[in-house]
Amino acid sequence: MKVPAHVAIIMDGNGRWATRQGLPRLEGHRAGVDNIHRVLDCLVGYGVKHVTLYAFSTENWGRPEDEVSGLMSILEEVIYEEAEALHSKDVRVRHMGRRDRLSSRLLDAVSYTQDLTKNNGSINLNIAFDYGGRDEILEAIKQMVREGVCPDDLDEETFARYLYTDGLPDPDLIIRTAGELRLSNFLIWQSAYSEYFTTASMWPDLGEDEIAEAMESFSQRQRRFGALRSEDPSG
Ligand code: IPE
Ligand code: IPE
Ligand code: MG
């Protein structure tokens, strides 16, 4: 079976999951954090090498203040415990996104986690938090201008080195839960030739069966990358 090297997931539907059960939305975010392990274990089992999870977008700051602060508190509460749990599974964790708006407690925890897990090799887990594709592209351009990169030297490969995903293959498969059919500013440069899979399940409910369905669907896709024959440019 053809397995995607890089799976990116838009973890959507935490709020709806909670509301449907008569729970506060924040309980959905808690359940969402718990579900990361189940999905990650499953993807490791398939031999996926890189996983990128969209956890908080640059636009999510626009939610009601109590939801944003509640979400940050949940993270601050669980992040060290999660770091240890992921480390024990040999997962390498990296953050993708802006750092300047995170609390110092979260920033410290991010550095700690990245350092703790830097030599791990079962799977690379990227957490997109305060991430936005447009913001990422704009920051890359600003940095290139600061460095005086000559326009004639600029090609796609050079540009990609200025993105958070430097060194990572583009996502082969993007999964979105909660039935939505949009990218919501996720990996907009990197997803140029990604395959999509959406499921009606809310993120906290996403489990082995849906992952199996996504993998099966991916293995049957014919990727052409604009050419006429099915060819994978990565070989
Ligand atoms: C995804 O779940 C998590 C974040 C965006 C932080 P949502 O909070 O978007 O859940 P719904 O879409 O409102 O159900
Ligand atoms: C996308 O979900 C962002 C994350 C999953 C972190 P949203 O719930 O924010 O997206 P929209 O608002 O439905 O497009
Ligand atoms: Mg949502």
Side-chain angles (χ1 to χ4, degrees):
M1 190 166 118
K2 202 171 59 174
V3 173
H6 184 177
V7 175
I9 307 182
I10 302 171
M11 307 186 290
D12 200 13
N14 291 350
R16 277 166 278 179
W17 180 90
T19 306
R20 282 178 190 177
Q21 300 178 65
L23 297 169
R25 286 178 57 86
L26 285 176
E27 288 310 310
H29 296 312
R30 273 188 199 281
V33 173
D34 289 343
N35 199 41
I36 290 176
H37 288 280
R38 174 161 66 154
V39 171
L40 202 60
D41 291 348
C42 193
L43 292 172
V44 170
Y46 280 98
V48 171
K49 294 285 170 234
H50 311 273
V51 174
T52 301
L53 299 178
Y54 201 10
F56 192 84
S57 73
T58 48
E59 289 72 43
N60 286 149
W61 292 106
R63 294 191 178 191
E65 206 270 322
D66 58 340
E67 174 155 346
V68 174
S69 63
L71 194 57
M72 296 296 164
S73 302
I74 291 173
L75 267 185
E76 290 182 3
E77 204 181 290
V78 303
I79 191 164
Y80 283 101
E81 205 180 303
E82 289 299 327
E84 301 299 335
L86 291 166
H87 182 50
S88 71
K89 291 182 187 174
D90 197 30
V91 177
R92 179 173 184 181
V93 188
R94 274 176 286 196
H95 169 247
M96 249 182 215
R98 288 179 61 155
R99 301 267 170 109
D100 57 311
R101 302 189 284 201
L102 302 186
S103 68
S104 58
R105 193 175 143 74
L106 268 185
L107 277 180
D108 287 348
V110 166
S111 303
Y112 171 81
T113 308
Q114 293 193 149
D115 198 49
L116 176 73
T117 64
K118 66 176 184 235
N119 297 317
N120 291 349
S122 76
I123 197 163
N124 287 319
L125 171 64
N126 310 298
I127 307 279
F129 195 93
D130 201 4
Y131 172 89
R134 288 185 173 180
D135 185 74
E136 177 184 39
I137 289 170
L138 213 49
E139 283 306 315
I141 294 169
K142 285 186 197 168
Q143 187 56 28
M144 288 188 300
V145 172
R146 274 184 217 115
E147 290 178 16
V149 173
C150 170
D152 295 333
D153 295 338
L154 187 56
D155 54 19
E156 291 182 9
E157 212 178 296
T158 309
F159 181 71
R161 281 206 292 272
Y162 286 83
L163 301 174
Y164 296 120
T165 44
D166 178 28
L168 283 178
D170 285 341
D172 300 292
L173 175 65
I174 297 181
I175 298 174
R176 184 163 187 155
T177 54
E180 309 292 356
L181 298 169
R182 56 179 172 263
L183 269 180
S184 302
N185 204 11
F186 187 43
L187 300 176
I188 54 180
W189 167 275
Q190 299 87 338
S191 63
Y193 275 99
S194 301
E195 298 293 326
Y196 290 87
F197 182 87
T198 186
T199 164
S201 296
M202 301 296 143
W203 167 253
D205 288 331
L206 189 84
E208 280 175 30
D209 291 351
E210 290 95 341
I211 297 286
E213 221 185 295
M215 291 293 163
E216 177 61 26
S217 170
F218 176 82
S219 74
Q220 287 170 11
R221 308 278 176 97
Q222 206 194 11
R223 302 179 79 189
R224 287 184 289 275
F225 301 95
L228 291 182
R229 277 177 301 133
S230 174
E231 273 169 32
D232 190 330
S234 64

